[in-house]
Amino acid sequence: MSTAAFATDWHTDPAKSSLTFTAIQQRAEFQGEFERFSADIHFDPASPETGSIKATIELASVETQNDERDDYLVLPEWLDVPQWPDSTYRATDIKADGNGFLAAGELTLKGVTLPVDLRFSFTEDSAGAAFVGTAGLKRMDFNVGTGGWTDTRWVGDPVKIMVNLRLTRTNK
């Protein structure tokens, strides 16, 4: 029998989890978050190569504490929520990496699928587990900010993603 059969299935506790990002507008960093997302994680830290991650993000749930920016972000030039309401991340290549783990996966955003690495830590306790990670991407690679917004002097290209998940076991 495969060791993958002994890995634990984990699901996100939405009330105790966050998916945030940092981007740059007019040379100043701003923070944002996606308020609705889900993640299914099949993972055993003793055998990370048997793991998998699948996450779905509802793009309309973007919140940056700036109503005007939030209104723009859902438009076709940016996240194009009417055509692409969700973004997905899938990883099946997970390995130990230094003090944590590295998931080599693919992000699909606005119909574009590209590799995105997620570095994360995973800590189990009696109530479940904490999954904390970071990833980086370039918005222009995913056609986020088209037309006049391709000039990165106004809105920077790099985006840092921060994942802080509280997970509950679905099997023992």
Side-chain angles (χ1 to χ4, degrees):
M1 182 180 286
S2 165
T3 57
F6 298 108
T8 300
D9 288 325
W10 302 91
H11 293 281
T12 309
D13 180 343
K16 298 178 181 175
S17 300
S18 64
L19 176 60
T20 60
F21 63 91
T22 301
I24 299 169
Q25 181 179 14
Q26 296 179 341
R27 298 185 185 154
E29 280 191 353
F30 72 91
Q31 305 285 318
E33 72 175 304
F34 291 96
E35 295 179 331
R36 292 185 303 277
F37 60 91
S38 63
D40 291 322
I41 299 170
H42 186 76
F43 188 70
D44 176 358
S47 191
E49 68 281 354
T50 64
S52 65
I53 300 168
K54 180 184 177 198
T56 302
I57 302 104
E58 292 181 38
L59 298 176
S61 73
V62 68
E63 173 63 54
T64 66
Q65 304 299 313
N66 179 304
D67 291 342
E68 183 178 3
R69 181 172 41 224
D70 294 347
D71 290 344
Y72 274 101
L73 283 173
V74 299
L75 296 175
E77 295 83 4
W78 292 96
L79 296 173
D80 198 0
V81 171
Q83 183 165 344
W84 308 103
D86 298 323
S87 177
T88 58
Y89 180 77
R90 288 186 172 88
T92 55
D93 182 9
I94 303 172
K95 61 185 174 187
D97 183 51
N99 292 328
F101 302 93
L102 175 66
E106 291 185 328
L107 177 68
T108 300
L109 177 62
K110 283 187 76 172
V112 177
T113 301
L114 293 171
V116 172
D117 289 344
L118 173 66
R119 294 189 181 284
F120 67 95
S121 64
F122 186 89
T123 309
E124 289 185 74
D125 59 35
S126 61
F131 181 110
V132 179
T134 60
L137 60 90
K138 293 188 175 192
R139 70 174 177 87
M140 295 305 303
D141 291 347
F142 292 93
N143 300 317
V144 174
T146 60
W149 299 107
T150 59
D151 184 346
T152 57
R153 289 179 297 171
W154 301 110
V155 179
D157 197 17
V159 177
K160 182 178 179 183
I161 309 294
M162 289 81 59
V163 179
N164 190 339
L165 306 178
R166 186 66 198 163
L167 305 175
T168 56
R169 292 176 181 85
T170 59
N171 65 346
K172 302 262 180 185

